[in-house]
Amino acid sequence: MIQLLAFYLFATLVIVSGLATILARNPVHSVLWLILAFFNAAGLMVLVGAEFIAMLLVIVYVGAVAVLFLFVVMMLDIDFATLRAGFVQNAPLGLLIALALVAELLIGTGAVKSGALVLGVADGHAGNAEGLSNTAAIGALLYTRYIFLFEASGVILLVSMIGAIVLTHRKRGDVRTQNISKQVARRPEDATVNLKPVSGQGVEL
Amino acid sequence: MSFFRPPTQLFESWGMGHDLAFLIATVVCILAICLPVMLSVAMVIYVDRKIWAAMALRRGPNVVGPLGLLQSFADGLKVFLQETIIPTAANKGLFLIGPIVTFTVALLAWAVIPFNSNAILANINVGLLYILAISSLGVYGTIMAGWASNSKYPFFSAMRASAQMISYEVSIGFILICVVLWAGSFNMDTIVQAQKGHVLGFFNGFAFNPLLFPMWVMFLISGMAETQRAPFDLAEAESELVAGYQTEYSSMAFALFWLGEYGNVLLMCALNATLFWGGYLPPLEIPILYAVPGIIWLLLKIAFGFFVFSWVKATVPRYRYDQLMRLGWKVFLPVSLFFVFLVSGWLMATGHFA
């Protein structure tokens, strides 16, 4: 009973916030609706017993990706009038893409129904073993059977990260950066001199 | 769900159906945690001001009630009676949702804190991940408030806060991985139980472990950055940003930010106690110490953690923003990553996982 109520609550909220994401006039509102959709999707995952994935969805997407997304969108300088003026102009292309997506969905479901392709058939390896927690089951699978794919995806992410840094980083010659270890290593003797000047003679430094 | 069984049975014995009894029991249990937390937030604000005053050789609040004990409630009444001002150019909906999000998120994470063995509202497998998930939500209150205020300084503050929280969450994640590796579970109760007699069978707590003690120090500092406490309170640096994201707020909305902020600080202290100082276990493995209820030990540890927080607030000057980022990315991140390597290597070498 409670589970059923929770399911309908989460499912309705996912759909409503998904719709609101594309219908909201303000891009910041769009991103916030998207975050609500993520959050409710995580709730749905908890309901089907995938609590590890649900928490990762919240930590990674809501906690990190969406914050950066919001960050960028907040600083965008968008003129809504020109955006709306472009709607009619871009509508045919948008419709075309939508049609292509619908066709792909139909072809995809048709292909699965015909049952010719045997790629990715469940072989029981992915099943949750008795008494094993979600986290342990995923870890056991990820670090044995899929170790190569897992590590490879990690390397790809690392390469893209380094690529982004290399593309955007520039060395600026005109700034004086703080050298903290040099500051910490500085002793009073290096910075001050104690002199006893004779009256009327000045100090030579 | 053993925690809910006694209250559920109580309500069932009053002639309710099982579903209804369970629902009411859940609500009662949530209130039984939230109301004391809110009350202790009020007291903790008073304690914070007293400690801060004592370190500055002042008296602190001493007028309202005996020893000024009722100061927080007087302040609460004051802001409650003030007018709520919403700037005309503000984004009204988000402006009001911002403080609510901050306050709610500060209370949400208490669901997985174990107050005694089996006294935990939601004893879930992924308790620690839940805390990470919830604490990553906290930044949205700040961002919403800063953006919706439609004012320069709150906006700067929101950007600072979000960058700061994302940076320090990375190192917090690595620090918690060390704890999880040693405890072998994300479940908060299991983590506390794993600390029983952890060092030499005598000290209860990961912080007594030489490999994990540096992790605790880093967790404490990262916790201060994560909750935007001094010396990392750059989001509300009054010398640069007026009052940061709270600049345009007044009355109850402003109070909700305060309550949420101190709620988060208390939560960080509770996490410190639970993950590193043995939670509801006594600090030393002596049978007579178990005569004291677990919740008293937990509260003492939380109080100690809070004292450290206000001690630091009273004595350490505020960081500069580039220093804050340097500390997070160039010091904490490599060191915590190195410790993940060190701890997992040690555990493999000693056959912990065998």
Side-chain angles (χ1 to χ4, degrees), chain B residues 14 23 67 121 157 209 257 310 314 316 324 346 353:
Chain B
W14 291 356
L23 190 72
L67 299 170
L121 183 66
S157 157
N209 183 330
F257 272 126
S310 27
V316 181
L324 174 92
W346 170 264
F353 296 122

Side-chain angles (χ1 to χ4, degrees), chain A residues 1-2 26 28-29 32 35 39 51-52 55 58-59 62-63 66-68 70-71 74-75 135 178 180, chain B residues 19 22 91 94 125-126 129-130 132-133 136-137 139-140 143-144 147 155 159 162 166 186 320 323 326:
Chain A
M1 175 62 183
I2 291 174
N26 192 323
V28 173
H29 290 182
L32 289 171
I35 290 161
F39 200 68
E51 74 268 5
F52 183 71
M55 291 305 150
V58 176
I59 293 171
V62 179
V67 174
L68 295 177
L70 196 58
F71 211 86
M74 277 196 317
M75 287 191 281
T135 319
Q178 193 179 12
I180 298 211
Chain B
D19 276 353
F22 182 75
N91 199 312
L94 286 180
N125 279 331
V126 286
L129 286 178
Y130 172 81
L132 276 179
S136 67
L137 285 180
V139 70
Y140 283 109
I143 296 187
M144 279 182 200
W147 183 79
F155 188 63
M159 291 202 291
S162 47
I166 290 173
F186 281 120
R320 215 171 54 203
Q323 292 171 333
R326 177 186 165 272

Side-chain angles (χ1 to χ4, degrees), chain B residues 279-294:
Chain B
Y280 53 77
L281 298 170
L284 300 175
E285 188 70 4
I286 301 170
I288 188 88
L289 290 181
Y290 281 91
V292 180

Side-chain angles (χ1 to χ4, degrees), chain A residues 41-56:
Chain A
L44 282 177
M45 285 179 190
V46 169
L47 281 185
V48 296
E51 74 268 5
F52 183 71
I53 304 281
M55 291 305 150
L56 281 196

Side-chain angles (χ1 to χ4, degrees), chain B residues 146-161:
Chain B
W147 183 79
S149 296
N150 200 1
S151 163
K152 275 189 217 68
Y153 295 118
F155 188 63
F156 282 141
S157 157
M159 291 202 291
R160 276 187 180 189

Side-chain angles (χ1 to χ4, degrees), chain B residues 12-176:
Chain B
E12 271 177 331
S13 71
W14 291 356
M16 291 179 194
H18 179 76
D19 276 353
L20 185 65
F22 182 75
L23 190 72
I24 292 177
T26 311
V27 172
V28 167
C29 290
I30 290 172
L31 287 180
I33 291 177
C34 284
L35 293 181
V37 166
M38 281 194 265
L39 190 67
S40 47
V41 162
M43 290 326 290
V44 133
I45 291 174
Y46 163 79
V47 170
D48 195 28
R49 292 175 66 178
K50 271 290 191 195
I51 294 173
W52 204 7
M55 290 196 189
L57 298 179
R58 291 183 285 112
R59 279 175 190 274
N62 59 355
V63 174
V64 190
L67 299 170
L69 270 169
L70 298 176
Q71 181 67 48
S72 294
F73 300 100
D75 287 343
L77 193 67
K78 184 190 78 182
V79 290
F80 191 69
L81 294 174
Q82 277 173 344
E83 182 193 357
T84 309
I85 299 167
I86 300 175
T88 29
N91 199 312
K92 201 171 173 185
L94 286 180
F95 187 81
L96 291 176
I97 293 173
I100 297 173
V101 168
T102 305
F103 181 65
T104 316
V105 162
L107 290 178
L108 270 178
W110 288 91
V112 294
I113 301 285
F115 293 99
N116 208 335
S117 59
N118 263 331
I120 176 167
L121 183 66
N123 199 359
I124 52 177
N125 279 331
V126 286
L128 200 53
L129 286 178
Y130 172 81
I131 287 193
L132 276 179
I134 293 300
S135 70
S136 67
L137 285 180
V139 70
Y140 283 109
T142 313
I143 296 187
M144 279 182 200
W147 183 79
S149 296
N150 200 1
S151 163
K152 275 189 217 68
Y153 295 118
F155 188 63
F156 282 141
S157 157
M159 291 202 291
R160 276 187 180 189
S162 47
Q164 179 178 337
M165 283 178 107
I166 290 173
S167 309
Y168 280 84
E169 241 154 50
V170 181
S171 63
I172 283 190
F174 279 127
I175 293 164
L176 294 186

